Structure formats: structure tokens, C-alpha cells
Amino acid sequence: MYKRILLKLSGEALSGGKGYGVDLATTREVAGEVREALNLGVQIGIVIGGGNYWRGRSAEGIDRVKADQIGMLGTVMNSLYVSEVFRTMGMKTSVYAPYPIGLYTEVFNKDKAVEDLENGKVVFFSGGTGHPFFSTDMGAALRAKETDCDAILMAKNIDGVYDSDPAKNPDAKKIDSLTYQEMLEKQLRVIDLTAAAFLEDAQIPCELFALRENKSIKRVVMGESIGTTIH
């Protein structure tokens, strides 16, 4: 069982199949699993993507820097919403961002964030890296390294890494385990490749799995591999 993990949640996965916004029932299910993991003594940081609101890379007719800034604010919205659902279910939370956002979040500080984790809070790292051109996968990798996490758990809509796109190739085969180097060489983009290179250098393993799987978060925290292990 891991002692401290960084849970990366897909914004689309939290939409509960709607593809847009956040689904309360899905969020409560996630909160219940996180609460069980906390009760086991696991320290949990969370990064949530913003794709359920905005995808900067696919925005047309707008400057990429501005598009990415809008996307970063989408991750803040997700973190504020999900953290409040967690609070209503009895958990203590804190929300950090890499830049000031009025009274809504705290500016990221490693020492304070680690203290919160050690005190049993679920710590949300919103706002990406604070810079354009970097994905929330990269933001998750950065925060995992800064806060000395044992692993990154990536909960997505897909249940693992495949040797080809399963949406296009019905014969695509799921890969149970691979190295970051293999992922980079084969250009398997289920994780942002910049983040993969960073995690390889940082020696932080990643468990990629489908959020929709029953009790997926708790099972992975307990050491069960239900998707793809990347190391």
C-alpha cells in the first residue's frame, strides 16, 4: 500500500458520461473511495484536468497562451467543486494554485502542502503548472515530485495503455506493464509525453486505470494493478 499518492482525475471522467461539467453522483463515488483510502492512512493529493470545460489545444481563433490560461482556470473550478463535495462528506481539504486567485485558493507552498497532507487533509493542486503549453499531466507530475509522492494514480476514461488506439482498432491490445522509455519510444500518448519523461527522471511510477471500474481508486491504492503500470 502506498503512503502518499498523487491522484490525477480526468475532468471528462468526472462528468459522468455527459462529457461536460461535473456529475455530482460520480463525484460522490470518488469522494467515498478517497475517504476509504484516507481511513487506511494514505496521504492524498489530487490534480483534476479541465477538459470537461475547456481544451486549450483544440480552441480555434484564439491565442494558445490565452486558451491555456482559460483551461487552467477550468481546473480551479473543478478543484473548488470537488473539494467542497469532499468537505460535505466529512473530509478536510485545501486547494492550492500556482498564482493568486483572490480568496478562493492558497498560493502553492510545498511546506504548507506537505503539512496539510501529513495532517490528513486531501490537498487539491489546481491551476496546472501556472504556465501555458504544459498539460495537467505535467502539473500532476511536478506536484508529485515536489511533495515526495510514492506514485501517481491516473484515473481516466480509458482502462490502460494500448498498443494502438482501441477506438480505431478493435484488435488493440492492452499493455499491463511498460517503462516510460518504451512509452516515449512508441509515442504512446495516453499520458502527456513531457510528463512521462519527467516521471522517468524522477523515478515516480504511475498506475493508469479507468475511474469507472468498481472501487478502482481504493483497489489501486491497496496495490492492485487494474490498468497499466508504468515505471
Side-chain angles (χ1 to χ4, degrees):
M1 186 173 70
Y2 297 114
K3 178 182 178 182
R4 179 181 297 163
I5 59 100
L6 193 294
L7 176 63
K8 168 62 168 44
L9 295 171
S10 158
E12 293 96 324
L14 285 177
S15 69
K18 296 183 296 185
Y20 184 84
V22 184
D23 179 68
L24 179 58
T26 301
T27 305
R28 283 177 172 164
E29 288 179 14
V30 171
E33 291 189 48
V34 169
R35 184 172 58 191
E36 289 185 53
L38 280 175
N39 290 338
L40 293 171
V42 181
Q43 298 173 14
I44 302 173
I46 295 180
V47 169
I48 308 175
N52 54 325
Y53 290 118
W54 180 267
R55 282 197 171 277
R57 293 181 182 181
S58 59
E60 296 182 3
I62 184 172
D63 177 74
R64 171 65 188 275
V65 172
K66 296 300 181 184
D68 282 0
Q69 289 171 344
I70 295 169
M72 285 187 273
L73 291 175
T75 71
V76 176
M77 292 168 60
N78 278 336
S79 292
L80 290 172
Y81 178 86
V82 176
S83 69
E84 190 58 26
V85 173
F86 278 33
R87 282 164 54 85
T88 65
M89 294 181 63
M91 289 172 275
K92 295 180 180 180
T93 67
S94 56
V95 182
Y96 289 92
Y99 36 74
I101 308 177
L103 302 175
Y104 302 125
T105 66
E106 295 185 66
V107 176
F108 174 73
N109 177 288
K110 174 191 172 174
D111 293 337
K112 290 181 66 178
V114 169
E115 183 179 355
D116 286 349
L117 290 166
E118 291 174 341
N119 288 332
K121 287 186 176 183
V122 180
V123 180
F124 290 81
F125 301 110
S126 69
T129 65
H131 301 283
F133 307 111
F134 291 99
S135 68
T136 48
D137 283 354
M138 185 62 214
L142 180 63
R143 297 294 180 243
K145 176 63 175 176
E146 288 177 310
T147 57
D148 301 315
C149 289
D150 300 322
I152 286 187
L153 277 52
M154 289 202 174
K156 292 180 175 279
N157 276 331
I158 191 169
D159 63 351
V161 179
Y162 285 77
D163 60 2
S164 60
D165 189 345
K168 298 178 181 178
N169 179 13
D171 296 321
K173 296 180 180 179
K174 191 174 80 169
I175 303 169
D176 294 329
S177 177
L178 77 162
T179 66
Y180 287 116
Q181 190 59 43
E182 289 172 329
M183 172 174 280
L184 294 166
E185 289 173 355
K186 296 177 181 179
Q187 296 286 291
L188 300 173
R189 297 179 180 274
V190 70
I191 294 176
D192 177 81
L193 295 183
T194 303
F198 181 91
L199 290 169
E200 179 185 35
D201 184 67
Q203 297 184 323
I204 299 174
C206 173
E207 295 286 342
L208 191 146
F209 60 98
L211 181 62
R212 65 178 179 270
E213 291 282 343
N214 183 45
K215 295 289 184 181
S216 60
I217 296 172
K218 181 182 178 182
R219 289 162 64 191
V220 175
V221 165
M222 292 294 292
E224 183 180 350
S225 181
I226 62 174
T228 299
T229 300
I230 311 168
H231 53 89

